Amino acid sequence: INANQRLLKLLGYDLDEFRRLTSQDLIHPEDLGHFSVEEVARRCESGETLVLDRRYRRKDGVYVPVQLTVRMVDPVNGIIQALVRDITERKRAEENLIRQTEVLQKVFDNLPVMIGFIGADGRHVLVNREWERCLGWSLDEVRQNGLDVFAECYPDPQYRQRVLQFVADSNGEWTDFRTHTKSGRVIETSWAAVRLTDGTTIGIGQDITARKAAAAALKVEHRKRERMEAELRLAQKLESGGQLAAGIAHEINTPMQ
């Protein structure tokens, strides 16, 4: 066994110390079960080049992630070469990406608005929980059944064409639509659409049924109040006119002194 200075510096051993190490000394216990040293040797003897991610134990006890490229270089003498690359930065970047993805997924799933990703073919490829809750279909249903969401939500062809044109424009402006759900209920919705550089369209929507109902009720109440105020003004005018008429009659019926 031999090792160059770069590997020895990475792990903190001198060459004699490194040569005394066994695979159990060097490799993280959880990584030992993936491929045994014997299995690696056997596969290299058959001509394979293996690329393996491992955690090597440094002299100070800290494990460092490395990538091994293992191949047979001298079949006659059974010499196997392992190129060892420190992948600490790559692993750190992967962990950060996983963490960021988890954060974005949490935000995506818990936003109180419907979000749907629409591919260039017009099919929904990703939706969030609020989308599923409001419209009734799960993402698995959409994918497995090849569901045409636009046809289901907007069964009238002319109305559906208006919606599809709205998606094609994707100008970010909010527009209201009457949307059919899986249960057959029709809800009032408001949508904005924007397009990504890869051609994917993101639809962002809200169920505004309750808001519209409240606005309509408020409008009815306002009209009722206006009608009552108009009737009150008319009554006041009639009362004022009656008092004036009564005054004139009194003057007429009262002799001048």
Side-chain angles (χ1 to χ4, degrees):
I1 185 171
N2 205 351
N4 65 4
Q5 287 301 311
R6 191 168 180 179
L7 177 60
L8 295 175
K9 183 179 179 181
L10 173 66
L11 299 179
Y13 299 102
D14 61 34
L15 184 58
D16 288 338
E17 290 173 326
F18 185 78
R19 284 174 171 170
R20 290 196 294 269
L21 296 174
T22 66
S23 57
Q24 285 79 11
D25 296 327
L26 188 61
I27 302 174
H28 192 287
E30 293 178 359
D31 297 340
L32 284 170
H34 295 170
F35 284 116
S36 66
V37 174
E38 294 75 14
E39 174 68 9
V40 170
R42 186 188 65 76
R43 294 178 66 169
C44 287
E45 287 172 359
S46 68
E48 284 190 64
T49 296
L50 304 178
V51 178
L52 310 169
D53 285 359
R54 292 287 185 269
R55 285 166 289 179
Y56 271 7
R57 186 179 183 274
R58 295 190 321 210
K59 188 175 180 178
D60 61 8
V62 175
Y63 284 93
V64 56
V66 297
Q67 184 177 81
L68 308 177
T69 302
V70 189
R71 64 190 181 95
M72 179 69 71
V73 293
D74 186 350
V76 175
N77 295 303
I79 297 175
I80 294 174
Q81 179 191 65
L83 301 177
V84 182
R85 183 163 66 95
D86 182 0
I87 57 172
T88 302
E89 290 303 318
R90 193 195 80 185
K91 286 293 185 180
R92 185 177 294 123
E94 289 175 353
E95 289 170 1
N96 287 337
L97 180 60
I98 290 171
R99 190 157 43 248
Q100 291 171 10
T101 301
E102 182 182 3
V103 169
L104 291 174
Q105 186 66 48
K106 291 290 185 183
V107 173
F108 179 71
D109 279 334
N110 291 283
L111 279 174
V113 294
M114 294 179 280
I115 303 176
F117 284 71
I118 305 162
D121 61 355
R123 298 284 178 175
H124 283 69
V125 295
L126 184 64
V127 300
N128 71 343
R129 290 176 184 169
E130 182 68 3
W131 189 100
E132 293 178 329
R133 187 188 70 80
C134 289
L135 300 183
W137 293 281
S138 69
L139 180 60
D140 287 341
E141 285 181 282
V142 173
R143 287 174 171 172
Q144 293 172 6
N145 301 328
L147 193 71
D148 185 342
V149 173
F150 291 112
E152 296 290 337
C153 291
Y154 309 102
D156 179 80
Q158 290 185 339
Y159 196 87
R160 181 165 66 250
Q161 189 56 45
R162 178 188 161 201
V163 175
L164 293 174
Q165 186 59 53
F166 163 80
V167 174
D169 292 340
S170 293
N171 56 20
E173 295 182 0
W174 288 89
T175 304
D176 293 353
F177 296 103
R178 289 177 58 80
T179 303
H180 291 249
T181 66
K182 181 181 179 181
S183 67
R185 178 171 170 252
V186 179
I187 61 175
E188 300 287 346
T189 59
S190 187
W191 293 88
V194 293
R195 182 165 292 111
L196 303 180
T197 55
D198 66 354
T200 301
T201 299
I202 303 177
I204 305 168
Q206 292 179 302
D207 180 355
I208 59 171
T209 306
R211 191 171 76 195
K212 277 207 165 185
L218 186 62
K219 193 172 182 179
V220 169
E221 186 64 28
H222 181 68
R223 287 178 178 173
K224 185 188 298 184
R225 186 180 297 112
E226 285 183 333
R227 186 171 65 251
M228 291 176 64
E229 288 174 353
E231 290 174 352
L232 179 59
R233 286 194 298 270
L234 178 59
Q236 289 172 339
K237 286 181 181 180
L238 291 175
E239 182 181 359
S240 176
Q243 290 175 349
L244 178 60
I248 293 172
H250 177 73
E251 292 293 333
I252 292 174
N253 292 324
T254 302
M256 295 182 61
Q257 300 295 330

